[in-house]
Amino acid sequence: MSKQKFIKQSEIDAPIDQVFAFHETPEALEILTPPWEKVEVLERTKGIQIGSKVLLKTKTGFLWQRWEAEHIEYIPNQLFIDVQRRGPFACWLHQHRFVPTDRGTTLMIDEVDYELPMGWLGEWVAGAFVRKKLQRLFDYRHEMLAEQFKKTAT
């Protein structure tokens, strides 16, 4: 089975420098993680710059797994990219892109290229479940991001 692609985008009512800066804060990952996801941050290096890493303990089905992600690209106020070095996917590359709009808002785009383990069998067994889970996860993340800037505007 070839790689799958998931894309979620939404317009955030804040300037690009503020939206990007939020992602650089130490608490961003925890704020953007849904409460129903079983995720624990075990280790992390500071920031989202190239070479920074995060090690998570996450529950996939009935199993706890470690998920190690490394940031491999970083362009301030434009994008950062993380890749799974170890974890539940056969392959995972996540681009976080930020595009300014003419209205002074930010188009936030999450683009994930991923591949499930066990090839076509993994896709057949869990493909629909994973797509639904990604949609729910990124819907939550974008809603929480929008909420962060509603709080700061009041």
Side-chain angles (χ1 to χ4, degrees), residues 1 3 83-93 113-119:
M1 179 53 79
K3 289 184 185 172
V83 63
Q84 173 193 281
R85 295 294 185 204
R86 182 176 63 180
F89 290 87
C91 175
W92 174 276
L93 182 113
D113 293 300
Y114 68 96
E115 189 174 340
L116 297 176
M118 300 186 306

Side-chain angles (χ1 to χ4, degrees), residues 40-54:
E40 180 183 343
V41 177
L42 299 176
E43 294 176 29
R44 78 170 103 203
T45 55
K46 292 188 176 190
I48 56 174
Q49 293 81 14
I50 295 171
S52 63
K53 295 180 182 180
V54 63

Side-chain angles (χ1 to χ4, degrees), residues 64-131:
W64 285 95
Q65 291 185 306
R66 290 181 182 247
W67 185 334
E68 182 182 333
E70 180 179 358
H71 290 93
I72 60 168
E73 193 165 344
Y74 173 86
I75 303 171
N77 296 332
Q78 290 183 31
L79 71 85
F80 64 97
I81 299 174
D82 59 86
V83 63
Q84 173 193 281
R85 295 294 185 204
R86 182 176 63 180
F89 290 87
C91 175
W92 174 276
L93 182 113
H94 180 187
Q95 293 184 51
H96 310 249
R97 291 187 284 139
F98 304 81
V99 180
T101 69
D102 294 338
R103 294 175 299 288
T105 62
T106 303
L107 184 61
M108 174 67 204
I109 305 165
D110 281 296
E111 186 173 318
V112 179
D113 293 300
Y114 68 96
E115 189 174 340
L116 297 176
M118 300 186 306
W120 67 268
L121 182 60
E123 176 62 29
W124 183 73
V125 169
F129 171 79
V130 169
R131 283 186 290 280

